[in-house]
Amino acid sequence: SNTRLFFGIFLIITGVILLLNQMGLPVDFGYFWPFFILVPGLFFWALYYTKRGQSGISGVLIPGTILVVYSLYFFFNQITDYRYASETSFIFTFGIALGFFVMYYSGGKKNRRVLIPAWILTAISIIILLGTVGGGNWWPLFLILLGLFLLYKQNFFKSKSENRAKKSNQGNENL
């Protein structure tokens, strides 16, 4: 089936790379090793799309997304000789968050609880990013914007009459 086909191709490619290395051809595993993280991630995605509709199959999107994101991160670091490794370290938490987002938006049933860890990990990723880019001088601006956002969500900036009208309308809806 599809699983055998996938693993068959993976084993052939891996065997060819190892054989070339044994034959003395210049195969630098320093650049290829993220491939071994990418392939299982793509396998999880392929598994989801071939078995779509089965109960619980959307759970494979989380590890699949994490592995794909991490492999791309490591490929990027291989190409740039790890020059931006500290500035891009937020990818480790954001890769997990992205896994939850992909599961929510690609999965069948929309379970909003999946978004809770996704947003928490996204916030942590933003904090890590702000702490590493520009010497971490973004904290005051980030805290101000976060405070304004929280006040906005609490309707703090609306007039008291608008808030009272909204509360009375909510009370009437409950009747």
Side-chain angles (χ1 to χ4, degrees):
S1 69
N2 291 335
T3 305
R4 287 186 192 150
L5 174 69
F6 178 80
F7 276 119
I9 293 171
F10 175 72
L11 291 173
I12 290 169
I13 292 171
T14 304
V16 167
I17 292 170
L18 292 172
L19 182 62
L20 290 173
N21 191 44
Q22 284 182 351
M23 294 172 63
L25 295 173
V27 178
D28 185 5
F29 279 102
Y31 290 105
F32 283 114
W33 73 267
F35 173 76
F36 295 102
I37 299 173
L38 176 65
V39 170
L42 293 175
F43 170 73
F44 282 127
W45 278 2
L47 182 66
Y48 169 75
Y49 286 107
T50 58
K51 307 253 185 222
R52 199 178 205 165
Q54 291 183 4
S55 178
I57 195 67
S58 62
V60 299
L61 289 171
I62 293 175
T65 302
I66 292 169
L67 291 173
V68 168
V69 168
Y70 286 5
S71 67
L72 295 175
Y73 169 78
F74 290 124
F75 275 126
F76 173 78
N77 278 314
Q78 289 290 339
I79 292 168
T80 62
D81 200 28
Y82 288 86
R83 273 179 275 166
Y84 306 103
S86 64
E87 291 90 350
T88 56
S89 61
F90 71 95
I91 291 295
F92 289 108
T93 51
F94 188 66
I96 300 168
L98 197 57
F100 283 106
F101 282 124
V102 168
M103 180 183 167
Y104 178 77
Y105 289 108
S106 297
K109 289 183 177 179
K110 302 284 189 232
N111 183 352
R112 294 182 61 96
R113 292 182 185 152
V114 171
L115 293 176
I116 295 169
W119 284 113
I120 290 170
L121 289 166
T122 299
I124 292 170
S125 299
I126 292 170
I127 290 168
I128 293 170
L129 177 64
L130 292 174
T132 57
V133 174
N137 295 328
W138 295 94
W139 282 104
L141 180 61
F142 174 72
L143 293 175
I144 291 168
L145 291 174
L146 181 62
L148 288 171
F149 173 76
L150 292 174
L151 291 176
Y152 173 77
K153 291 302 276 183
Q154 285 297 119
N155 299 322
F156 182 78
F157 294 113
K158 292 184 180 179
S159 69
K160 290 182 181 181
S161 60
E162 286 177 328
N163 284 334
R164 272 186 255 140
K166 184 177 177 183
K167 286 181 183 178
S168 68
N169 286 339
Q170 287 175 348
N172 292 335
E173 290 174 358
N174 293 333
L175 296 175

